[in-house]
Amino acid sequence: MIKHPSRHCSVELQALPSRIGQVRRIVSAQLRYWHLDPLIDRAALGVTELLTNVHRHAQTDKNCTVEIELQLDRLTVSVRDHDPRLPVVEDGTEIAPMATCGRGLAMVAAVSESWGVRPHDDGKVVWFTLPAPTTTPKADRPQRRVAEPAPRRIVDPEPATAGAPAPATAGAPAPAHATAAVPGAAHAPARSAVAS
């Protein structure tokens, strides 16, 4: 169930592997809706790690609530579950180099601006924040220029030679093959007055 899509989004779920992928897609779609595309990868990674921790470590009850909230220039992502035990961040020296788990909160710390955990009623809330990018108002964006067509070049007709027919006047049809009345050039076509 999604509530208040304008500035706050809340999703309730069971932290099962199939649901974690769905919530990641919901978070990504909500951030696109808020025009926070640059935060999608980090927020999706962080929420995946927090939900995976609930799946692996929360005892019995895997129900949890994911909330994302945009306040001014900060996005807060939190996961609330019903296990009151606070998470323990593993020291990096205790994790085997090729281990496929145990880096969840270290990963969250690496991708976020800040993170933390606090007790909540019968459980806890683990959260992290990301700085929201500032957007440029459309009025301040430079206008896109549209290329104007290049002006057509008009070429003045060559002056008529003695004995040549007068140039056609406006409104009078030009002959199909105008010829010059110069001896030896009886079939030379006239030159166009407009360059192509």
PDB file of all heavy atoms in Angstrom, residues 67-86:
ATOM      1  N   GLU A  67       9.744   3.295   4.233  1.00  0.00           N
ATOM      2  CA  GLU A  67       9.278   4.662   4.022  1.00  0.00           C
ATOM      3  C   GLU A  67      10.367   5.456   3.326  1.00  0.00           C
ATOM      4  O   GLU A  67      11.550   5.324   3.658  1.00  0.00           O
ATOM      5  CB  GLU A  67       8.933   5.333   5.355  1.00  0.00           C
ATOM      6  CG  GLU A  67       7.742   4.733   6.044  1.00  0.00           C
ATOM      7  CD  GLU A  67       7.329   5.501   7.289  1.00  0.00           C
ATOM      8  OE1 GLU A  67       7.776   6.651   7.472  1.00  0.00           O
ATOM      9  OE2 GLU A  67       6.558   4.940   8.078  1.00  0.00           O
ATOM     10  N   ILE A  68       9.947   6.245   2.347  1.00  0.00           N
ATOM     11  CA  ILE A  68      10.865   7.219   1.749  1.00  0.00           C
ATOM     12  C   ILE A  68      10.197   8.576   1.874  1.00  0.00           C
ATOM     13  O   ILE A  68       8.992   8.716   1.665  1.00  0.00           O
ATOM     14  CB  ILE A  68      11.242   6.878   0.288  1.00  0.00           C
ATOM     15  CG1 ILE A  68      10.018   6.754  -0.606  1.00  0.00           C
ATOM     16  CG2 ILE A  68      12.076   5.640   0.206  1.00  0.00           C
ATOM     17  CD1 ILE A  68      10.372   6.536  -2.064  1.00  0.00           C
ATOM     18  N   GLU A  69      11.000   9.550   2.255  1.00  0.00           N
ATOM     19  CA  GLU A  69      10.456  10.880   2.498  1.00  0.00           C
ATOM     20  C   GLU A  69      11.421  11.923   1.967  1.00  0.00           C
ATOM     21  O   GLU A  69      12.635  11.852   2.216  1.00  0.00           O
ATOM     22  CB  GLU A  69      10.229  11.080   3.995  1.00  0.00           C
ATOM     23  CG  GLU A  69       9.529  12.364   4.324  1.00  0.00           C
ATOM     24  CD  GLU A  69       9.124  12.443   5.789  1.00  0.00           C
ATOM     25  OE1 GLU A  69       9.609  11.628   6.595  1.00  0.00           O
ATOM     26  OE2 GLU A  69       8.331  13.330   6.110  1.00  0.00           O
ATOM     27  N   LEU A  70      10.872  12.877   1.239  1.00  0.00           N
ATOM     28  CA  LEU A  70      11.667  13.969   0.680  1.00  0.00           C
ATOM     29  C   LEU A  70      11.348  15.234   1.459  1.00  0.00           C
ATOM     30  O   LEU A  70      10.201  15.681   1.486  1.00  0.00           O
ATOM     31  CB  LEU A  70      11.331  14.151  -0.800  1.00  0.00           C
ATOM     32  CG  LEU A  70      12.047  15.284  -1.525  1.00  0.00           C
ATOM     33  CD1 LEU A  70      13.562  15.050  -1.518  1.00  0.00           C
ATOM     34  CD2 LEU A  70      11.539  15.403  -2.955  1.00  0.00           C
ATOM     35  N   GLN A  71      12.362  15.773   2.126  1.00  0.00           N
ATOM     36  CA  GLN A  71      12.207  17.016   2.866  1.00  0.00           C
ATOM     37  C   GLN A  71      13.300  17.969   2.425  1.00  0.00           C
ATOM     38  O   GLN A  71      14.489  17.700   2.623  1.00  0.00           O
ATOM     39  CB  GLN A  71      12.306  16.777   4.366  1.00  0.00           C
ATOM     40  CG  GLN A  71      11.134  16.018   4.928  1.00  0.00           C
ATOM     41  CD  GLN A  71      11.241  15.870   6.442  1.00  0.00           C
ATOM     42  OE1 GLN A  71      12.327  15.936   7.006  1.00  0.00           O
ATOM     43  NE2 GLN A  71      10.115  15.673   7.088  1.00  0.00           N
ATOM     44  N   LEU A  72      12.885  19.069   1.829  1.00  0.00           N
ATOM     45  CA  LEU A  72      13.812  20.079   1.319  1.00  0.00           C
ATOM     46  C   LEU A  72      14.862  19.442   0.411  1.00  0.00           C
ATOM     47  O   LEU A  72      14.549  18.961  -0.658  1.00  0.00           O
ATOM     48  CB  LEU A  72      14.441  20.852   2.480  1.00  0.00           C
ATOM     49  CG  LEU A  72      13.448  21.606   3.372  1.00  0.00           C
ATOM     50  CD1 LEU A  72      14.148  22.228   4.561  1.00  0.00           C
ATOM     51  CD2 LEU A  72      12.696  22.661   2.577  1.00  0.00           C
ATOM     52  N   ASP A  73      16.111  19.391   0.862  1.00  0.00           N
ATOM     53  CA  ASP A  73      17.185  18.873   0.007  1.00  0.00           C
ATOM     54  C   ASP A  73      17.698  17.520   0.471  1.00  0.00           C
ATOM     55  O   ASP A  73      18.838  17.156   0.227  1.00  0.00           O
ATOM     56  CB  ASP A  73      18.338  19.876  -0.038  1.00  0.00           C
ATOM     57  CG  ASP A  73      18.946  20.134   1.340  1.00  0.00           C
ATOM     58  OD1 ASP A  73      18.323  19.719   2.340  1.00  0.00           O
ATOM     59  OD2 ASP A  73      20.014  20.751   1.403  1.00  0.00           O
ATOM     60  N   ARG A  74      16.837  16.745   1.174  1.00  0.00           N
ATOM     61  CA  ARG A  74      17.298  15.472   1.711  1.00  0.00           C
ATOM     62  C   ARG A  74      16.237  14.399   1.540  1.00  0.00           C
ATOM     63  O   ARG A  74      15.058  14.616   1.804  1.00  0.00           O
ATOM     64  CB  ARG A  74      17.626  15.643   3.189  1.00  0.00           C
ATOM     65  CG  ARG A  74      18.173  14.406   3.853  1.00  0.00           C
ATOM     66  CD  ARG A  74      18.995  14.739   5.065  1.00  0.00           C
ATOM     67  NE  ARG A  74      20.279  15.333   4.669  1.00  0.00           N
ATOM     68  CZ  ARG A  74      20.560  16.625   4.706  1.00  0.00           C
ATOM     69  NH1 ARG A  74      19.699  17.483   5.125  1.00  0.00           N
ATOM     70  NH2 ARG A  74      21.738  17.052   4.333  1.00  0.00           N
ATOM     71  N   LEU A  75      16.676  13.225   1.069  1.00  0.00           N
ATOM     72  CA  LEU A  75      15.807  12.062   0.954  1.00  0.00           C
ATOM     73  C   LEU A  75      16.161  11.113   2.091  1.00  0.00           C
ATOM     74  O   LEU A  75      17.332  10.783   2.280  1.00  0.00           O
ATOM     75  CB  LEU A  75      16.022  11.361  -0.385  1.00  0.00           C
ATOM     76  CG  LEU A  75      15.157  10.112  -0.601  1.00  0.00           C
ATOM     77  CD1 LEU A  75      13.729  10.515  -0.940  1.00  0.00           C
ATOM     78  CD2 LEU A  75      15.734   9.242  -1.702  1.00  0.00           C
ATOM     79  N   THR A  76      15.150  10.687   2.847  1.00  0.00           N
ATOM     80  CA  THR A  76      15.365   9.725   3.923  1.00  0.00           C
ATOM     81  C   THR A  76      14.655   8.427   3.569  1.00  0.00           C
ATOM     82  O   THR A  76      13.477   8.443   3.207  1.00  0.00           O
ATOM     83  CB  THR A  76      14.821  10.251   5.270  1.00  0.00           C
ATOM     84  OG1 THR A  76      15.467  11.488   5.573  1.00  0.00           O
ATOM     85  CG2 THR A  76      15.088   9.259   6.393  1.00  0.00           C
ATOM     86  N   VAL A  77      15.394   7.329   3.639  1.00  0.00           N
ATOM     87  CA  VAL A  77      14.838   5.993   3.392  1.00  0.00           C
ATOM     88  C   VAL A  77      14.951   5.226   4.707  1.00  0.00           C
ATOM     89  O   VAL A  77      16.026   5.184   5.305  1.00  0.00           O
ATOM     90  CB  VAL A  77      15.614   5.262   2.277  1.00  0.00           C
ATOM     91  CG1 VAL A  77      15.034   3.877   2.034  1.00  0.00           C
ATOM     92  CG2 VAL A  77      15.627   6.087   0.990  1.00  0.00           C
ATOM     93  N   SER A  78      13.842   4.626   5.157  1.00  0.00           N
ATOM     94  CA  SER A  78      13.898   3.887   6.416  1.00  0.00           C
ATOM     95  C   SER A  78      13.132   2.578   6.299  1.00  0.00           C
ATOM     96  O   SER A  78      12.201   2.460   5.502  1.00  0.00           O
ATOM     97  CB  SER A  78      13.331   4.723   7.557  1.00  0.00           C
ATOM     98  OG  SER A  78      11.972   5.035   7.331  1.00  0.00           O
ATOM     99  N   VAL A  79      13.560   1.606   7.110  1.00  0.00           N
ATOM    100  CA  VAL A  79      12.886   0.306   7.197  1.00  0.00           C
ATOM    101  C   VAL A  79      12.604   0.046   8.673  1.00  0.00           C
ATOM    102  O   VAL A  79      13.524   0.047   9.492  1.00  0.00           O
ATOM    103  CB  VAL A  79      13.746  -0.823   6.587  1.00  0.00           C
ATOM    104  CG1 VAL A  79      13.081  -2.179   6.825  1.00  0.00           C
ATOM    105  CG2 VAL A  79      13.968  -0.588   5.097  1.00  0.00           C
ATOM    106  N   ARG A  80      11.316  -0.139   8.987  1.00  0.00           N
ATOM    107  CA  ARG A  80      10.899  -0.427  10.361  1.00  0.00           C
ATOM    108  C   ARG A  80      10.469  -1.882  10.440  1.00  0.00           C
ATOM    109  O   ARG A  80       9.675  -2.341   9.620  1.00  0.00           O
ATOM    110  CB  ARG A  80       9.748   0.493  10.762  1.00  0.00           C
ATOM    111  CG  ARG A  80       9.315   0.306  12.202  1.00  0.00           C
ATOM    112  CD  ARG A  80       8.215   1.275  12.597  1.00  0.00           C
ATOM    113  NE  ARG A  80       6.974   0.932  11.925  1.00  0.00           N
ATOM    114  CZ  ARG A  80       6.238   1.770  11.200  1.00  0.00           C
ATOM    115  NH1 ARG A  80       6.633   2.999  11.021  1.00  0.00           N
ATOM    116  NH2 ARG A  80       5.122   1.370  10.634  1.00  0.00           N
ATOM    117  N   ASP A  81      11.014  -2.622  11.402  1.00  0.00           N
ATOM    118  CA  ASP A  81      10.606  -4.022  11.586  1.00  0.00           C
ATOM    119  C   ASP A  81      10.211  -4.252  13.035  1.00  0.00           C
ATOM    120  O   ASP A  81      10.267  -3.325  13.847  1.00  0.00           O
ATOM    121  CB  ASP A  81      11.699  -4.997  11.113  1.00  0.00           C
ATOM    122  CG  ASP A  81      12.973  -4.917  11.939  1.00  0.00           C
ATOM    123  OD1 ASP A  81      12.888  -4.807  13.184  1.00  0.00           O
ATOM    124  OD2 ASP A  81      14.071  -4.971  11.348  1.00  0.00           O
ATOM    125  N   HIS A  82       9.823  -5.471  13.373  1.00  0.00           N
ATOM    126  CA  HIS A  82       9.309  -5.787  14.706  1.00  0.00           C
ATOM    127  C   HIS A  82      10.314  -6.524  15.586  1.00  0.00           C
ATOM    128  O   HIS A  82       9.940  -7.052  16.632  1.00  0.00           O
ATOM    129  CB  HIS A  82       8.012  -6.596  14.580  1.00  0.00           C
ATOM    130  CG  HIS A  82       6.945  -5.857  13.840  1.00  0.00           C
ATOM    131  ND1 HIS A  82       6.249  -4.798  14.380  1.00  0.00           N
ATOM    132  CD2 HIS A  82       6.479  -5.997  12.572  1.00  0.00           C
ATOM    133  CE1 HIS A  82       5.396  -4.330  13.482  1.00  0.00           C
ATOM    134  NE2 HIS A  82       5.524  -5.036  12.387  1.00  0.00           N
ATOM    135  N   ASP A  83      11.562  -6.550  15.175  1.00  0.00           N
ATOM    136  CA  ASP A  83      12.607  -7.190  15.984  1.00  0.00           C
ATOM    137  C   ASP A  83      13.340  -6.089  16.750  1.00  0.00           C
ATOM    138  O   ASP A  83      13.982  -5.226  16.141  1.00  0.00           O
ATOM    139  CB  ASP A  83      13.577  -7.942  15.069  1.00  0.00           C
ATOM    140  CG  ASP A  83      14.584  -8.781  15.842  1.00  0.00           C
ATOM    141  OD1 ASP A  83      14.753  -8.548  17.068  1.00  0.00           O
ATOM    142  OD2 ASP A  83      15.197  -9.666  15.239  1.00  0.00           O
ATOM    143  N   PRO A  84      13.260  -6.094  18.094  1.00  0.00           N
ATOM    144  CA  PRO A  84      13.869  -5.006  18.870  1.00  0.00           C
ATOM    145  C   PRO A  84      15.401  -5.050  18.917  1.00  0.00           C
ATOM    146  O   PRO A  84      16.031  -4.068  19.318  1.00  0.00           O
ATOM    147  CB  PRO A  84      13.279  -5.193  20.277  1.00  0.00           C
ATOM    148  CG  PRO A  84      12.918  -6.637  20.351  1.00  0.00           C
ATOM    149  CD  PRO A  84      12.560  -7.062  18.955  1.00  0.00           C
ATOM    150  N   ARG A  85      16.000  -6.159  18.493  1.00  0.00           N
ATOM    151  CA  ARG A  85      17.469  -6.240  18.549  1.00  0.00           C
ATOM    152  C   ARG A  85      18.071  -5.272  17.537  1.00  0.00           C
ATOM    153  O   ARG A  85      17.692  -5.278  16.366  1.00  0.00           O
ATOM    154  CB  ARG A  85      17.936  -7.668  18.245  1.00  0.00           C
ATOM    155  CG  ARG A  85      17.476  -8.672  19.287  1.00  0.00           C
ATOM    156  CD  ARG A  85      17.838 -10.093  18.883  1.00  0.00           C
ATOM    157  NE  ARG A  85      17.275 -10.406  17.577  1.00  0.00           N
ATOM    158  CZ  ARG A  85      17.868 -11.203  16.679  1.00  0.00           C
ATOM    159  NH1 ARG A  85      19.025 -11.752  16.943  1.00  0.00           N
ATOM    160  NH2 ARG A  85      17.279 -11.442  15.536  1.00  0.00           N
ATOM    161  N   LEU A  86      19.006  -4.453  18.000  1.00  0.00           N
ATOM    162  CA  LEU A  86      19.642  -3.486  17.116  1.00  0.00           C
ATOM    163  C   LEU A  86      20.713  -4.178  16.279  1.00  0.00           C
ATOM    164  O   LEU A  86      21.389  -5.096  16.758  1.00  0.00           O
ATOM    165  CB  LEU A  86      20.250  -2.344  17.930  1.00  0.00           C
ATOM    166  CG  LEU A  86      19.258  -1.549  18.792  1.00  0.00           C
ATOM    167  CD1 LEU A  86      19.983  -0.422  19.522  1.00  0.00           C
ATOM    168  CD2 LEU A  86      18.119  -1.000  17.959  1.00  0.00           C
TER     169      LEU A  86
END
